[in-house]
């Protein structure tokens, strides 16, 4: 079996998409995973580069995958948008494009936030919503 070097990982509410390629860019694995099977799947893999679209829950998955020894890169949603050919982001074609672009050195990525940083941001957003919704 060929060694997976890069994985495009699309997180969702219940079914996640995984698209793995080798060093030559050939597809090695493409499958759907339920939430409860994600960590077990990545534990079995050797260390590789995992690309995820940045969102609130991607920081959690980034921390979990980094604890397993993987290198995780979070791509801002604005950079993921050009890879979407259809209206749905969960297609394997989008993940294939994302897996091929993640190793590029000139791409900008979002650093993984700690739980404390995320809770502070939540407080700031909540305060902003309260200020915006108060009567004038």
């Amino acid at each position: 079996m060929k060694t997976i070097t890069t994985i495009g990982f699309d997180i969702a509410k219940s079914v996640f998409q995984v698209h793995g390629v080798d060093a030559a860019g050939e597809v090695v694995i493409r499958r759907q995973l339920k939430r409860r099977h994600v960590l077990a799947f990545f534990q079995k893999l050797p260390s590789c580069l995992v690309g995820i679209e940045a969102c609130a829950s991607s920081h959690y998955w980034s921390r979990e995958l980094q604890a397993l020894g993987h290198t995780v890169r979070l791509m801002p949603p604005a950079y993921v948008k050009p890879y979407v050919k259809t209206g749905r982001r969960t297609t394997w074609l989008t993940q294939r494009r994302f897996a091929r672009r993640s190793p590029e050195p000139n791409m900008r990525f979002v650093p993984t936030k700690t739980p404390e940083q995320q809770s502070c941001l939540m407080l700031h957003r909540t305060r902003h919503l309260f200020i915006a919704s108060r009567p004038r």
Side-chain angles (χ1 to χ4, degrees), residues 6-59:
T6 307
I7 292 180
F9 185 49
D10 186 30
I11 56 179
K13 291 183 180 181
S14 58
V15 178
F16 298 173
Q17 302 282 337
V18 175
H19 185 86
V21 296
D22 62 5
E26 297 295 321
V27 177
V28 177
I29 190 166
R30 180 179 18 161
R31 65 188 299 190
Q32 294 181 347
L33 294 173
K34 296 211 184 244
R35 179 180 296 272
R36 65 181 178 268
H37 300 298
V38 171
L39 291 178
F41 172 79
F42 279 99
Q43 282 177 339
K44 296 176 187 175
L45 291 179
S47 295
C48 60
L49 175 65
V50 181
I52 308 173
E53 180 180 359
C55 66
S57 61
S58 67
H59 294 280

Side-chain angles (χ1 to χ4, degrees), residues 25-127:
E26 297 295 321
V27 177
V28 177
I29 190 166
R30 180 179 18 161
R31 65 188 299 190
Q32 294 181 347
L33 294 173
K34 296 211 184 244
R35 179 180 296 272
R36 65 181 178 268
H37 300 298
V38 171
L39 291 178
F41 172 79
F42 279 99
Q43 282 177 339
K44 296 176 187 175
L45 291 179
S47 295
C48 60
L49 175 65
V50 181
I52 308 173
E53 180 180 359
C55 66
S57 61
S58 67
H59 294 280
Y60 165 78
W61 288 109
S62 175
R63 289 189 299 268
E64 293 293 323
L65 295 179
Q66 286 175 352
L68 296 175
H70 298 283
T71 303
V72 180
R73 292 192 178 162
L74 302 177
M75 187 179 281
Y79 292 171
V80 175
K81 186 69 174 165
Y83 304 131
V84 180
K85 290 289 185 183
T86 62
R88 296 174 29 209
R89 289 190 308 225
T90 57
T91 63
W92 67 271
L93 286 171
T94 303
Q95 291 310 308
R96 182 179 71 186
R97 291 183 196 100
F98 190 54
R100 289 186 179 165
R101 292 287 302 233
S102 291
E104 291 184 6
N106 61 351
M107 290 292 293
R108 294 183 188 158
F109 297 100
V110 176
T112 302
K113 292 181 177 61
T114 64
E116 292 79 20
Q117 289 172 321
Q118 284 189 287
S119 63
C120 184
L121 285 172
M122 181 205 55
L123 290 174
H124 285 295
R125 287 188 188 120
T126 304
R127 182 178 183 276

